[in-house]
Amino acid sequence: MTEPFELKPAAKARSYGPLVIVLVLVLLAGLPIAAWLDMRALSDRLLARQSDDISRVINDMRNFYASDVVGRVLSRNVAVPTHNYKDVDGGIPIPATLSIELGKQISARNDAVQYRFVSDYPFAGRGSHTLDDFEMGAIKALRADPKTPQIKVTGDIFDRAIRLATPVFMGQACVNCHNKHPESPKKDWKVGDVRGIQEITIHQPIGDNIFAFKYLMAYFAAVGAVGVTFLGLQRKQTKQIRGVNQELTEANDFLATVSMKIAKYISPQIYKSIFSGQRDVQIATERKRLTIFFSDIKDFTATTERLQPEDLTALLNEYFTEMSAIALKHGATVDKFIGDAMLLFFGDPETKGAAEDARACLEMAVEMQTRLAELNNEWRRRGIEQPFRARMGINTGYCNVGNFGSEDRMDYTIIGAEANLAARLQTIAEPGGIVMSYETYALVREVVRAHPLDLITMKGISREVVPYAVDGLLQDLRQRKHVISEHATGIELFLDLDVIDPVAAARTRRLLENALAALNEKTRTAGAA
């Protein structure tokens, strides 16, 4: 049986909730990280630039002091420049001492900025200073390459510090002083030598600068709140959608179950056309050329008297099940069961053309009679004394087909005299036989052997009807030895030796001899030409 049309369940959307959550969290975490990295890089650049600026200022100040202070004093002998200027009357600090003292002042007044002037050749009278690894490495590196300042960044993610070391070059005044001074540990200085380094250390607590981005942080907090709210709403919406989908699935399953039950009451073709939207459920009919089939069980009333109701019901249901399966196999539309009778038709809602529809109906009827004969054998073995014997009628003609009834209750069926004629034809058929009208016979004459019956008239049909009793399909009869059948261009031959009488046989013999002579003449003429 054709599978009933199912309502498609609502498509289950893939759950992107976890992915969205991860994405939002990454974005929320990434923005502060990016801002932090930008602030850290900015802080490092600012530290380096500040250190460089301070270093240049101190260099300029020291050079100015050396040339315009100490140099002028030496030229006029007004004051005594010395490293221990505090212990000498009229003493003034030499540039190196100025740098040292200036570093003490800067470091004492500012925790964020420290300045130191150090050398690995200090005067003997000065306090000792232990050089750390950075200072020793910087002095060595700057003596090798004075043009490249030495920089070291230390600290953690919350407190950064940068140390900048630049070279201190020996000027002429410095060379004269150091090479002659009794406390100088080195007496061979030259102009341009790197005596030591001036080191500037700047501390930059990054955590303190976070509050400089208060608007950005407020924005992040607002975005975070919005994101959390959005995730909460989305989760709630996802839960609602999941609930709706569950309800739709349950409703769809229920409708599918109901639709499969409904399919048992109507023809599969009609069921499919309705549920696929091809046909509207409204009162409407159209006139079509159909091939109508009607069957009835002979002496059904007498059979019911011999069987118990339960046995009769089982037997009738088995009969209808087998016949319906054959009908659907050949594409018939099952209209209705009327007691023990069946009304079927071909040509709506699907058709292959009038000739093919008629042929399918004839082949269906023949197969039904064959199957019923097999069922009778089985039923006899079960103890059924007189099984079913069906009479079948087939007619082809125009009928009104569609929905008939009221707005509240309608039935898909056919009406018209041609449908009634099919029912009348089955009444004159022999039990186990098939009778068809001439209109049907004209469409299937190439595939069937049939003989005409007496003319009949019927109310509602003005013409006389020529019934044809079906003897069998030609493809089945060809398998019999006494049947000669040939259909081709220019020839229509069917000869059944089992049923032909002597008079007809003599006449047929003469006709065949004349036909053979004509064929021989045609062959000689064609050969001579």
Side-chain angles (χ1 to χ4, degrees):
M1 180 176 178
T2 304
E3 291 294 330
F5 178 80
E6 288 191 17
L7 292 174
K8 295 183 178 179
K12 296 181 179 179
R14 296 178 58 190
S15 177
Y16 291 101
L19 180 61
V20 173
I21 293 175
V22 173
L23 180 60
V24 171
L25 292 178
V26 169
L27 291 176
L28 291 177
L31 286 174
I33 292 174
W36 182 274
L37 294 175
D38 288 339
M39 185 173 64
R40 175 177 175 176
L42 176 63
S43 177
D44 290 344
R45 290 195 298 271
L46 290 176
L47 289 174
R49 187 169 61 194
Q50 291 173 3
S51 300
D52 186 62
D53 291 342
I54 294 173
S55 177
R56 286 199 303 270
V57 170
I58 293 176
N59 274 333
D60 292 342
M61 183 167 39
R62 183 168 51 79
N63 291 334
F64 171 79
Y65 182 83
S67 61
D68 287 19
V69 178
V70 177
R72 292 173 67 88
V73 171
L74 290 176
S75 64
R76 294 173 181 256
N77 293 321
V78 176
V80 180
T82 179
H83 67 283
N84 55 346
Y85 67 96
K86 294 181 180 180
D87 300 329
V88 178
D89 291 336
I92 60 174
I94 61 175
T97 303
L98 174 64
S99 299
I100 294 173
E101 294 299 324
L102 182 61
K104 293 179 181 179
Q105 293 293 325
I106 294 174
S107 299
R109 294 175 180 271
N110 193 343
D111 294 335
V113 180
Q114 295 180 351
Y115 173 78
R116 297 174 63 86
F117 182 92
V118 295
S119 174
D120 51 350
Y121 293 104
F123 277 12
R126 288 189 179 140
S128 61
H129 172 67
T130 303
L131 301 179
D132 59 20
D133 294 338
F134 171 73
E135 293 169 337
M136 291 295 295
I139 292 174
K140 182 178 179 182
L142 290 173
R143 283 176 177 162
D145 183 12
K147 296 181 179 180
T148 304
Q150 299 298 303
I151 300 176
K152 181 180 181 181
V153 180
T154 59
D156 53 29
I157 62 174
F158 297 104
D159 189 7
R160 306 288 288 173
I162 185 170
R163 301 175 69 183
L164 172 67
T166 57
V168 177
F169 296 101
M170 296 292 288
Q172 185 61 55
C174 297
V175 171
N176 295 336
C177 177
H178 279 258
N179 288 342
K180 295 178 181 180
H181 200 287
E183 295 184 5
S184 175
K186 181 175 171 62
K187 305 295 185 178
D188 56 350
W189 293 106
K190 297 178 181 179
V191 176
D193 287 347
V194 176
R195 179 195 173 190
I197 60 172
Q198 58 182 5
E199 176 187 356
I200 298 175
T201 302
I202 299 179
H203 293 275
Q204 183 66 55
I206 298 178
D208 295 343
N209 292 331
I210 292 179
F211 296 102
F213 298 89
K214 57 183 178 181
Y215 296 109
L216 181 61
M217 299 303 295
Y219 169 77
F220 286 158
V223 171
V226 171
V228 172
T229 303
F230 170 76
L231 292 177
L233 292 176
Q234 187 192 46
R235 185 171 183 178
K236 181 179 179 180
Q237 186 180 30
T238 301
K239 185 177 180 180
Q240 292 175 345
I241 292 175
R242 188 181 297 113
V244 171
N245 286 338
Q246 180 64 27
E247 293 177 0
L248 289 176
T249 300
E250 293 175 356
N252 184 69
D253 293 341
F254 172 76
L255 291 176
T257 302
V258 172
S259 66
M260 292 183 67
K261 294 179 180 179
I262 294 176
K264 304 295 184 180
Y265 291 90
I266 59 178
S267 175
Q269 297 95 325
I270 306 304
Y271 174 89
K272 181 178 179 181
S273 63
I274 292 176
F275 280 85
S276 64
Q278 298 176 1
R279 181 181 297 274
D280 293 331
V281 183
Q282 60 183 6
I283 297 178
T285 63
E286 53 185 329
R287 189 169 175 81
K288 285 188 175 183
R289 191 180 187 189
L290 307 175
T291 295
I292 306 101
F293 170 91
F294 195 93
S295 71
D296 186 51
I297 298 176
K298 180 174 171 34
D299 298 330
F300 181 74
T301 303
T303 303
T304 60
E305 295 175 354
R306 291 191 295 269
L307 296 175
Q308 294 298 322
E310 295 81 4
D311 296 334
L312 178 62
T313 300
L315 200 64
L316 189 60
N317 287 338
E318 184 177 359
Y319 164 74
F320 281 139
T321 298
E322 293 288 340
M323 298 301 105
S324 297
I326 296 173
L328 296 178
K329 171 185 173 182
H330 290 274
T333 299
V334 179
D335 188 329
K336 60 175 65 71
F337 301 117
I338 310 170
D340 60 308
M342 294 176 60
L343 176 60
L344 292 73
F345 57 86
F346 290 77
D348 190 78
E350 300 173 353
T351 179
K352 297 180 181 179
E356 286 298 321
D357 290 341
R359 181 171 180 173
C361 184
L362 175 62
E363 292 175 349
M364 175 196 71
V366 172
E367 184 173 348
M368 283 182 173
Q369 292 289 21
T370 302
R371 179 56 182 157
L372 183 56
E374 296 173 354
L375 290 174
N376 284 334
N377 292 330
E378 295 180 9
W379 290 335
R380 287 191 181 94
R381 286 195 294 269
R382 297 183 198 172
I384 306 299
E385 182 181 357
Q386 293 183 355
F388 297 155
R389 301 179 66 194
R391 298 177 298 194
M392 300 179 181
I394 302 174
N395 179 41
T396 300
Y398 283 91
C399 295
N400 287 333
V401 57
N403 294 325
F404 294 86
S406 67
E407 292 293 342
D408 299 326
R409 175 70 170 86
M410 60 186 65
D411 188 19
Y412 180 84
T413 186
I414 58 175
I415 61 173
E418 302 296 340
N420 296 334
L421 178 56
R424 174 67 183 280
L425 291 175
Q426 69 84 21
T427 62
I428 63 175
E430 295 293 332
I434 304 169
V435 173
M436 56 185 172
S437 65
Y438 175 79
E439 287 74 13
T440 303
Y441 174 72
L443 296 173
V444 299
R445 62 190 306 169
E446 295 183 355
V447 299
V448 66
R449 191 191 76 178
H451 61 274
L453 301 176
D454 295 336
L455 298 178
I456 62 172
T457 58
M458 182 176 172
K459 185 177 180 180
I461 298 180
S462 59
R463 70 184 186 278
E464 290 184 331
V465 178
V466 182
Y468 280 79
V470 176
D471 296 323
L473 298 176
L474 293 183
Q475 60 183 6
D476 298 331
L477 295 175
R478 287 194 185 100
Q479 299 177 1
R480 293 164 54 183
K481 295 181 179 180
H482 295 159
V483 174
I484 302 172
S485 176
E486 183 62 32
H487 300 274
T489 303
I491 180 173
E492 286 288 337
L493 176 62
F494 181 84
L495 183 60
D496 189 346
L497 301 180
D498 291 335
V499 298
I500 193 170
D501 57 61
V503 175
R507 181 172 176 274
T508 302
R509 180 184 181 90
R510 290 192 298 271
L511 290 174
L512 290 176
E513 289 174 349
N514 293 337
L516 184 58
L519 289 174
N520 291 334
E521 181 62 23
K522 181 177 179 61
T523 302
R524 285 195 299 269
T525 303

